[in-house]
Amino acid sequence: MESQIPRKPRILCLHGFRTSAEILKRQVLRWPAAVLDKLDLIFLDAPYPAQGKSGVERFFDPPYYEWFQATEDFTEYTNFEECLAFIEDNMMKSGPFDGFLGFSQGALLSAALPGMQRDGLALTRVPRIKFLIIISGAKFGGPKFAHHKLTSNAYSSPLECPSLHIIGETDFMKQESISLLEYFVDPFVINHPKGHTIPELGACKEN
């Protein structure tokens, strides 16, 4: 009998606010080959064109996208349910997926998905999320971002989904990222010296 080649973990990668799949891909593919060769990474553009100025215009060309919209104080959200349906549809087309990698807005969204899936409020037609990679993450219901009605119980019990959290020392989201850790069981943390960006892993250290 021929031996089966183990399948690489298939990861859906969710980019940051008003960036794109191509931008996230260019940043993540700077990681060492020893890491990338073990992963099957799929990069997805968010469903909505950017509705304002992008913070990366000086560094990366358009187009830019956003997963959903929020009021200036992050207390109300628009197109959130539609975003979840869009992600699930793409998971059904291109899956099965084992986990998520999210950066910034994509990380905010990714971190809440296991709890919403557990409660039957999102991703009900796809397999259970096995792990997360959260870069510059935050929590719905934390100091900065209010809950959407679908996320209100996402962190009601500790999330046993294995998680890797990559946190920047000078990231304006650092405290949000640190606060998120307490809602995961045994989170693994990597720190890097830079700000709100995808770091090259050579500059990181485990915590």
Side-chain angles (χ1 to χ4, degrees):
M1 181 180 293
E2 295 183 8
S3 60
Q4 274 194 325
I5 299 174
R7 181 174 67 84
K8 296 179 183 179
R10 194 167 180 82
I11 302 173
L12 189 60
C13 303
L14 308 184
H15 60 78
F17 183 61
R18 294 179 182 169
T19 66
S20 70
E22 179 60 27
I23 292 170
L24 180 60
K25 182 177 181 180
R26 287 172 59 183
Q27 294 178 302
V28 169
L29 292 187
R30 298 179 303 178
W31 289 357
V35 174
L36 296 175
D37 289 347
K38 293 179 172 64
L39 306 174
D40 183 9
L41 301 172
I42 305 298
F43 296 85
L44 179 65
D45 279 322
Y48 302 105
Q51 296 188 5
K53 185 177 177 63
S54 170
V56 301
E57 288 178 1
R58 291 186 299 153
F59 310 104
F60 298 101
D61 293 331
Y64 312 117
Y65 302 93
E66 51 198 52
W67 294 102
F68 54 88
Q69 294 79 41
T71 54
E72 190 171 345
D73 59 358
F74 300 104
T75 58
E76 296 182 23
Y77 303 98
T78 306
N79 290 319
F80 190 79
E81 295 95 334
E82 292 82 356
C83 169
L84 296 179
F86 173 82
I87 290 172
E88 185 170 34
D89 287 344
N90 277 276
M91 292 179 75
M92 294 182 69
K93 292 175 186 174
S94 304
F97 285 93
D98 300 291
F100 284 92
L101 180 155
F103 170 66
S104 194
Q105 190 186 38
L108 173 69
L109 187 57
S110 297
L113 286 171
M116 288 191 286
Q117 187 182 47
R118 175 199 63 209
D119 296 337
L121 299 176
L123 308 186
T124 59
R125 298 176 294 162
V126 296
R128 180 180 60 85
I129 300 167
K130 297 177 182 177
F131 62 87
L132 298 174
I133 300 172
I134 302 295
I135 308 169
S136 296
K139 171 184 175 288
F140 285 107
K144 186 175 178 62
F145 301 96
H147 272 301
H148 182 275
K149 62 182 179 181
L150 295 182
T151 69
S152 57
N153 292 314
Y155 300 100
S156 59
S157 60
L159 295 169
E160 297 183 2
C161 180
S163 58
L164 167 62
H165 302 254
I166 301 177
I167 301 174
E169 183 61 35
T170 61
D171 189 351
F172 68 89
M173 294 284 284
K174 178 182 177 181
Q175 290 307 313
E176 293 283 338
S177 297
I178 292 172
S179 297
L180 180 63
L181 298 176
E182 66 180 277
Y183 297 94
F184 285 85
V185 175
D186 296 328
F188 190 86
V189 180
I190 292 178
N191 295 295
H192 67 91
K194 295 187 177 181
H196 196 70
T197 188
I198 311 293
E200 296 183 38
L201 293 183
C204 300
K205 60 180 181 178
E206 298 176 10
N207 184 24

